[in-house]
Amino acid sequence: MRWTEKLEGIGVTENRLILTLFGATGDLAARKLYPALYRLYKNGHISTHFALVGTGRTEWTHQEMRQRVSESVKQEVDDAKHLEEFLSHVYYVSHDVNDTTHYQRLKNFQEELDEKYDTKGNRIFYISLSPTLFPTITGHLRDQQLITDDGYNRLIIEKPFGHDTASAQELQQSLNNAFDENQIFRIDHYLGKEMVQAIRNIRFDNRVFADSWNNQGIDNIQISLLEEVGVEDRGEYYDTSGATRDMIQNHALQILALLAMNQPKEATAEAIQEEKIQVLASLYYPQDAKEVSEKFVRGQYGPSKELKGYRQEDKVSETSETETYFAACVEIDLPQWQGVPFFIRTGKRLNSKATTIDVQFKPTQEGVPGNQLHIEVAPRTGYRFTVNQKKLGYSHETESIPLEYYYTPEQLAETPQDYERLIYECILGDKSHFAHYLEVEHAWKYIDHLFSYWNQEKPEFPNYEAGSRGPDAAEALLAQYHTNWQE
Ligand code: BG6
């Protein structure tokens, strides 16, 4: 029995589409996209009526592309025959993004595949190349009529979406010449993570949280996106970006929006985006340089005995003033969040890798601890909630005990990974876990405001040692609020 027949038997609906990938020879494609597509194929979400067309400047044959795909999915393969089936849907067209005739060639090839796989004109264009090329590619897709009239046409793009507000606006305008906002899917892979997607369920499907999720019930919220790795081989990009643009403008502020938004009126992408936009439009802007220095911390790692400092990394300027660490107290100008600090931190070359959200509830009365909700996105997947109860035995004192649930590696092996989930949601046309342009723009405005102060002062870098907890100033920031970072 063919794989796909088996799936039809269990009622999995398969989707029809041609996915064209610009940047098929790149690192992201090999590390994330091919495994994601193979898993979607394995699960029957795409199969008979599907083709992947990789493009790139390199002159590859279909066979060479299949070889690359095959290498990058080998961890996922449990049936060699099934891999062969998948590879038969994989193609390659060498392509210069500036050459009009190449788009015509690509168009003809897509039409052939459309007929062969009966994909009904459905197209996803995935650009995994430098954002400077987005306008060129989308302009050609429109002019050479690669955008079809009969099926759907969607565009997936990787971050960064601009470098600041002005460049994001410019980019949006040029993309809008070819694609409408509802066709543009900006990938933020944090929004594909299991526990980030779980935020809505935890908040809105538990009476105990739904009622106290505001400044009456919550003392503070912490979002930590900590990394052990340095800048690896991305020095060139990172030195023009830094931690704030690389992690805060997108991932951290997206998580903050999910944590602070009101319950969407309905479970649609539009309703969710509308609530997130409201949060990001209501971020409180620090009023002067003093407030910025009290509430925002930037850092850069210096060398340790074993590890290089940031300025010694490959393709990084020896006098670089780029921040590799960010911590802040972010506030939201909405009545329900008055007085609740959202502490956010991220950094490279820290002493651990952890992506966590900690919600500190207010105590019910003096002398008892407030409940804590710890949502662990990585390295484990699950959560811990501390509740107060009576100490065991004769004592009537209150003590806090953890209630926790972490998924097992076996459960997680069956769970879709970030890219797999987001590509699938794009195939379904579901934008619930993609940011609307206005979310992106509000986030940039906030970051631009911060840099308007930071750019006036030369930072004292380096200010933390590679492999450490980060700068002392980040600890001092929380001490001002009589609290500390949750570990
Ligand atoms: C990317 C950043 O968006 O996220 C990288 O550009 C960072 O600098 C990465 O390392 C972290 O993602 P994850 O999924 O490993 O937490």
Side-chain angles (χ1 to χ4, degrees), residues 159 189-190 193 227 229 234 237-238 246-247 251 348 353 355 418:
K159 73 169 201 1
H189 76 286
Y190 270 63
K193 291 182 189 281
E227 295 193 89
V229 292
R234 297 161 72 225
Y237 148 77
Y238 196 88
D246 187 48
M247 297 289 283
H251 309 321
K348 297 254 182 224
K353 162 83 189 171
T355 307
D418 323 344

Side-chain angles (χ1 to χ4, degrees), residues 139-395:
H140 278 293
L141 292 178
R142 179 202 54 203
D143 295 344
Q144 308 314 316
Q145 291 153 12
L146 277 88
I147 298 175
T148 56
D149 293 329
D150 37 0
Y152 65 69
N153 291 271
R154 297 183 184 137
L155 175 71
I156 303 186
I157 45 177
E158 287 289 332
K159 73 169 201 1
F161 196 90
H163 183 77
D164 52 18
T165 312
S167 54
Q169 283 168 343
E170 204 179 305
L171 178 56
Q172 176 70 359
Q173 268 166 20
S174 69
L175 295 186
N176 280 162
N177 290 332
F179 292 90
D180 294 339
E181 176 61 20
N182 65 14
Q183 297 174 304
I184 304 174
F185 290 69
R186 302 174 188 81
I187 284 242
D188 181 322
H189 76 286
Y190 270 63
L191 295 182
K193 291 182 189 281
E194 184 66 39
M195 294 310 289
V196 173
Q197 295 204 342
I199 292 174
R200 277 195 288 140
N201 306 67
I202 294 174
R203 285 190 54 193
F204 303 125
D205 298 345
N206 292 294
R207 171 65 59 208
V208 62
F209 295 136
D211 287 351
S212 53
W213 207 272
N214 50 44
N215 61 356
Q216 298 300 304
I218 292 179
D219 183 89
N220 71 78
I221 295 187
Q222 301 186 7
I223 302 169
S224 300
L225 314 181
L226 313 178
E227 295 193 89
E228 239 178 304
V229 292
V231 291
E232 302 175 289
D233 53 2
R234 297 161 72 225
E236 195 173 350
Y237 148 77
Y238 196 88
D239 211 30
T240 60
S241 160
T244 315
R245 292 186 166 90
D246 187 48
M247 297 289 283
I248 300 296
Q249 188 273 342
N250 38 63
H251 309 321
L253 290 180
Q254 281 294 319
I255 295 176
L256 175 133
L258 289 169
L259 290 167
M261 71 180 182
N262 287 333
Q263 178 155 17
K265 289 178 198 71
E266 47 185 6
T268 60
E270 292 74 25
I272 296 167
Q273 289 176 340
E274 195 182 311
E275 295 302 339
K276 283 162 69 198
I277 291 169
Q278 199 206 4
V279 172
L280 294 167
S282 308
L283 294 174
Y284 166 77
Y285 283 35
Q287 302 295 299
D288 53 31
K290 183 166 166 286
E291 199 178 354
V292 168
S293 73
E294 280 166 4
K295 293 183 178 164
F296 293 81
V297 173
R298 54 180 160 164
Q300 187 191 79
Y301 61 88
S304 69
K305 270 203 205 105
E306 297 85 27
L307 299 166
K308 278 189 217 167
Y310 177 68
R311 289 175 180 173
Q312 287 77 54
E313 300 278 12
D314 204 21
K315 303 215 171 107
V316 167
S317 150
E318 283 168 20
T319 54
S320 174
E321 290 180 358
T322 299
E323 79 289 353
T324 61
Y325 185 94
F326 172 105
C329 164
V330 176
E331 291 148 291
I332 303 171
D333 242 339
L334 288 171
Q336 66 273 32
W337 293 117
Q338 284 305 313
V340 180
F342 285 73
F343 299 115
I344 299 183
R345 61 179 169 158
T346 189
K348 297 254 182 224
R349 275 278 182 255
L350 300 173
N351 57 0
S352 64
K353 162 83 189 171
T355 307
T356 53
I357 296 160
D358 288 278
V359 183
Q360 175 68 56
F361 289 90
K362 289 183 171 165
T364 54
Q365 53 183 309
E366 226 178 284
V368 294
N371 304 113
Q372 281 180 345
L373 174 65
H374 172 77
I375 302 176
E376 189 162 331
V377 181
R380 290 186 299 172
T381 304
Y383 66 90
R384 182 181 68 230
F385 184 56
T386 56
V387 292
N388 294 320
Q389 59 128 27
K390 190 183 97 48
K391 252 191 186 164
L392 192 65
Y394 286 121
S395 167

Side-chain angles (χ1 to χ4, degrees), residues 58-96:
T58 321
E59 296 279 339
W60 270 358
T61 59
H62 297 319
Q63 205 41 47
E64 280 166 312
M65 168 81 179
R66 288 173 188 164
Q67 185 57 34
R68 162 63 71 98
V69 173
S70 162
E71 275 158 27
S72 55
V73 307
K74 59 176 184 269
Q75 303 274 4
E76 305 288 343
V77 178
D78 31 44
D79 177 344
K81 219 172 117 259
H82 183 237
L83 173 65
E84 281 310 309
E85 259 181 52
F86 172 67
L87 293 176
S88 72
H89 292 257
V90 175
Y91 299 87
Y92 185 82
V93 177
S94 66
H95 182 90
D96 173 347

Side-chain angles (χ1 to χ4, degrees), residues 21-30 34 54-60 65 68 92 128-129:
L21 175 63
F22 296 89
T25 58
D27 180 53
L28 183 87
Y34 300 146
T55 79
R57 261 185 312 189
T58 321
E59 296 279 339
W60 270 358
M65 168 81 179
R68 162 63 71 98
Y92 185 82
S128 174
L129 290 171

